[in-house]
Amino acid sequence: MDLKALHSVSYGLYVITSKDGERINGQIANTVFQISSEPPTIAISINKQNLTNELITKSGLFAVSVLRQETPLSLIGQFGFKSGRDVDKFAGINYRTTPQGLPYLVDDALASIEAKVIQSVDAGTHNIFIGELTAAEVLKQSNPMTYAYYHQVKRGSTPPSAPTYIKENERRKGMDIYECTICGYEYDPAEGDPENDIEPGTPFAELPDEWVCPVCGAGKDAFEKIG
């Protein structure tokens, strides 16, 4: 069975948030889709081990920030590769709150959606939360970030807890590609790191000592050669 067939299924990229009392948290997700228009309902898929899943289960509320195409990898790394149990993911982030007090991003979000959970489905490693919209706002006009754009253009990585994670069985050969052992980001010298002004053709060994992984912020010593 070739699980890469699933790569042809279209996804977006979002920050899902919730709260429990004064505690807030958010995470990256790619599984958000509309169920119906009357009443307006959407569904999200969240890993059971994530803090956001715990907060949604307790509060019965969640919010979605629809990310724009220009969203930096560092923000995706902050919400996708760090745990809200260890760090404050909203430190330094410009955010506002929905009518129910759920945080949503301002600078890199095209729209904010708030929903009340009306049904939860156990999907093994994940919970699927179906929510009826209680608020929605368009924040700016631009192209939304698609999962394909994130991988193919921004060359982002996928955490193992994501529903679309597929372990690679084959590596590209003949190129000095280095992989971040923390988040899985691959530095390809042929591509460089445009977001951090690293020109294409720059070997890993010639990266500045202060260069860090554009996704999770790990230093060069966290990278291993894979091809």
Side-chain angles (χ1 to χ4, degrees):
M1 180 168 59
D2 188 358
L3 293 179
K4 289 184 179 178
L6 295 173
H7 289 172
S8 61
V9 179
S10 180
Y11 301 91
L13 212 60
Y14 315 90
V15 171
I16 308 298
T17 60
S18 191
K19 71 169 187 173
D20 177 25
E22 297 300 317
R23 189 180 193 184
I24 61 174
N25 192 59
Q27 68 163 75
I28 292 291
N30 56 24
T31 309
V32 177
F33 55 96
Q34 184 174 352
I35 298 293
S36 64
S37 56
E38 187 57 45
T41 57
I42 60 174
I44 61 174
S45 178
I46 304 293
N47 191 290
K48 291 179 180 178
Q49 297 181 0
N50 293 356
L51 176 60
T52 303
N53 184 93
E54 178 182 325
L55 300 187
I56 295 174
T57 300
K58 287 183 177 180
S59 68
L61 299 167
F62 65 85
V64 179
S65 296
V66 182
L67 297 181
R68 61 175 183 161
Q69 205 170 76
E70 297 83 3
T71 301
L73 283 176
S74 58
L75 185 141
I76 296 172
Q78 181 162 340
F79 283 93
F81 291 91
K82 297 179 181 180
S83 172
R85 295 185 175 92
D86 302 324
V87 300
D88 177 8
K89 294 187 180 183
F90 286 92
I93 297 295
N94 184 19
Y95 72 92
R96 299 175 188 151
T97 56
T98 66
Q100 293 290 338
L102 308 183
Y104 65 90
L105 276 60
V106 176
D107 297 336
D108 291 296
L110 300 181
S112 167
I113 301 169
E114 179 191 77
K116 176 180 64 175
V117 176
I118 57 175
Q119 186 176 353
S120 177
V121 180
D122 189 326
T125 58
H126 288 65
N127 282 326
I128 298 173
F129 295 103
I130 300 174
E132 182 176 339
L133 267 62
T134 52
E137 179 182 2
V138 175
L139 303 174
K140 57 177 66 70
Q141 297 292 333
S142 184
N143 292 322
M145 174 88 77
T146 65
Y147 205 53
Y149 187 90
Y150 169 65
H151 278 285
Q152 297 168 11
V153 179
K154 300 183 81 69
R155 297 182 298 109
S157 51
T158 303
S161 61
T164 54
Y165 175 78
I166 299 175
K167 185 175 182 179
E168 292 291 344
N169 294 316
E170 297 181 359
R171 295 295 187 184
R172 289 165 287 182
K173 301 183 182 302
M175 303 178 71
D176 290 334
I177 298 172
Y178 286 75
E179 181 181 57
C180 177
T181 58
I182 306 299
C183 73
Y185 169 82
E186 294 182 4
Y187 175 78
D188 186 344
E191 301 289 341
D193 178 12
E195 286 197 4
N196 292 299
D197 300 321
I198 303 298
E199 295 291 334
T202 304
F204 184 82
E206 296 181 11
L207 292 173
D209 292 338
E210 64 273 15
W211 182 84
V212 297
C213 174
V215 176
C216 71
K220 291 176 63 178
D221 58 352
F223 280 74
E224 293 182 349
K225 184 178 177 179
I226 61 172

